[in-house]
Amino acid sequence: MTAISVTVNARPVEAKVEPRTHLADFLRDSLNLTGTHLGCEHGVCGACTLLLDDMPARSCITSAVACDGARVTTIEGLDEDDIAIELRAAFAREHALQCGYCTPGMLISARDLVLRLPTADERQIRVGLSGNLCRCTGYVGIVRAVRSVIAQRRQRGLLPVHGAGRTQLGPVGSGHAARALGTGAENTSHSPVIAPDQNGAVIATIPDFVPAQIVIHQVTVAYPPDQVFQIFGDVAGVAACLPGVALTGTPTPERAEGIIRVRLGPITAEFEGAARIERDPANLTGRITGIGRDHRSRSATQGEIRYQLVPVDHGAATRIDLSIGYSLTGVLAQIARPGLVRDLAARLTAEFAGNLERHLAGLAPDAAAATPSLNGLALLVGLLRARTREVLQRIFGT
Ligand code: FES
Ligand code: FES
């Protein structure tokens, strides 16, 4: 088995593969990406076509081990792609598919033509698609669909892309020579890493990261530090205290998987991910590092919570010093300004502290915290109230 590291549909993947395993089998069998079809398995029919570093490639004659460092995009990775969306609509409109077996590969090749061809030239389209065989349609509808998308895009002023967005070529068009040469092109994504466990099952692992934003908070609970630290070791109990959090599996002391739902006005995000838990009993400190992805908004987050328990009131109570760091990418990063997130973190921390005290007292968490989503309106009203109060205090000095 050989270890490889590839990016598949924008997610870093680490796996061990047999040298003889081809890329299509790896994607279908190990990652369950069955949109990549297999026909001839000899590089003839084009059913297995995908993008390797943005370049169409036959995955049935590409060894998975040769793709180490490459960026792979399958048809599933083009769900939200502008051109693929237009092509799918055109294929449906022009009756460009029947059984659909050739369609994923056909769409990938067609997308490449839409990107590259300056005009909707039928001959060039037919030549460009000649490596994709369709046993059903007779190609007329397919060519019509591709022509219409190219023509419409050029009419809208969308010019062809020189090189079709292709990067430099490496073995099998992977372009990973840049990484081998240390040019800094290696993946620095903060996304989850998918890696096989001891049984070969694919699981998410959590890389270290440097947060883009850090928020500092302190809360005090009326219980001694040892008791609080012990409770922090109860992953399910702590998760129940966190508003909007729901575990999706049985946690271990070192790891938990779950979702956190956040609803802010019209925006609903459901981050699905995993967290790694580290604890230092000698110093009463701990660190929780998490990753999550909201598929709907195509946003991803990586965060860490560091805590230190400090005895106060002669050890009768505990001050919890919290450092909350996070990085956000995608659509939500454009609207979640640091100030808003800071306010949100403050409210969540306060709710967490309240629930923690209830938990320590043997009571159930507050009903609002058990709700699997945050009431965005209530949060916003609360935030506005707090901001208004701050402004009034500044003006009147009260
Ligand atoms: S399955 Fe790859 S070209 Fe036919
Ligand atoms: S639609 Fe059936 S093979 Fe193309």
Side-chain angles (χ1 to χ4, degrees):
M1 300 281 262
T2 304
I4 60 166
S5 173
V6 288
T7 301
V8 179
N9 298 337
R11 284 195 317 172
V13 173
E14 289 176 357
K16 287 190 173 161
V17 292
E18 294 281 357
R20 66 172 178 272
T21 302
H22 62 57
L23 181 57
D25 272 351
F26 170 65
L27 294 167
R28 291 175 58 85
D29 299 344
S30 300
L31 303 183
N32 205 25
L33 292 169
T34 52
T36 299
H37 289 173
L38 280 168
C40 64
E41 293 195 64
H42 281 81
V44 175
C45 72
C48 64
T49 307
L50 44 65
L51 296 176
L52 209 48
D53 282 2
D54 300 329
M55 180 176 172
R58 304 276 204 243
S59 55
C60 73
I61 52 170
T62 302
S63 297
V65 289
C67 297
D68 186 29
R71 188 171 64 252
V72 177
T73 306
T74 68
I75 193 69
E76 291 92 342
L78 296 175
D79 273 1
E80 319 264 349
D81 177 81
D82 286 352
I83 299 175
I85 289 170
E86 286 182 47
L87 277 169
R88 286 198 297 269
F91 268 50
R93 186 177 65 241
E94 302 293 347
H95 306 290
L97 71 158
Q98 288 177 28
C99 76
Y101 202 83
C102 69
T103 308
M106 196 68 83
L107 284 170
I108 300 253
S109 296
R111 180 183 175 278
D112 187 60
L113 291 178
V114 173
L115 269 172
R116 286 192 293 118
L117 291 186
T119 59
D121 179 298
E122 178 172 345
R123 193 189 68 80
Q124 283 189 302
I125 292 170
R126 284 186 177 273
V127 170
L129 293 179
S130 60
N132 291 77
L133 305 184
C134 174
R135 61 192 172 184
C136 304
T137 62
Y139 303 100
V140 174
I142 294 172
V143 173
R144 226 173 19 223
V146 179
R147 284 190 80 182
S148 69
V149 172
I150 295 175
Q152 286 164 13
R153 287 179 72 86
R154 301 297 171 258
Q155 269 173 14
R156 301 206 305 271
L158 296 167
L159 300 174
V161 178
H162 179 67
R166 293 174 182 180
T167 55
Q168 66 197 99
L169 301 183
V172 296
S174 70
H176 67 275
R179 189 172 80 151
L181 292 171
T183 57
E186 53 265 52
N187 191 342
T188 54
S189 163
H190 294 151
S191 302
V193 175
I194 310 298
D197 66 8
Q198 291 158 340
N199 304 319
V202 176
I203 59 166
T205 61
I206 301 150
D208 273 328
F209 81 116
V210 178
Q213 306 284 340
I214 293 181
V215 185
I216 306 289
H217 277 293
Q218 286 181 346
V219 291
T220 301
V221 290
Y223 291 86
D226 285 346
Q227 198 177 342
V228 176
F229 192 74
Q230 193 183 347
I231 286 290
F232 271 28
D234 169 16
V235 179
V238 171
C241 297
L242 286 162
V245 168
L247 294 178
T248 52
T250 307
T252 67
E254 295 83 28
R255 181 186 170 85
E257 289 177 9
I259 51 175
I260 177 164
R261 295 192 182 100
V262 182
R263 190 169 64 238
L264 280 172
I267 303 158
T268 303
E270 182 175 291
F271 288 97
E272 189 180 351
R276 183 180 69 225
I277 302 154
E278 298 157 82
R279 284 158 55 80
D280 177 357
N283 294 306
L284 296 181
T285 59
R287 181 184 181 209
I288 302 164
T289 312
I291 49 172
R293 181 172 289 275
D294 174 42
H295 296 283
R296 198 163 6 189
S297 68
R298 300 181 71 200
S299 301
T301 187
Q302 186 161 18
E304 68 162 23
I305 301 172
R306 291 174 186 264
Y307 62 83
Q308 173 149 36
L309 307 185
V310 180
V312 292
D313 284 349
H314 308 291
T318 303
R319 191 185 75 219
I320 307 171
D321 291 348
L322 287 163
S323 159
I324 303 165
Y326 67 93
S327 297
L328 193 59
T329 57
V331 173
L332 289 179
Q334 292 162 19
I335 54 174
R337 289 199 302 274
L340 183 63
V341 176
R342 250 197 312 277
D343 289 343
L344 192 60
R347 276 189 72 96
L348 294 181
T349 306
E351 283 189 38
F352 171 68
N355 287 330
L356 190 63
E357 291 222 70
R358 293 176 66 82
H359 188 59
L360 285 159
L363 300 170
D366 187 54
T371 306
S373 66
L374 298 173
N375 182 340
L377 189 58
L379 280 170
L380 283 177
V381 169
L383 294 177
L384 285 174
R385 274 207 197 111
R387 280 289 160 96
T388 309
R389 204 179 311 125
E390 273 175 31
V391 171
L392 290 174
Q393 276 173 348
R394 271 207 300 275
I395 293 172
F396 298 109
T398 55

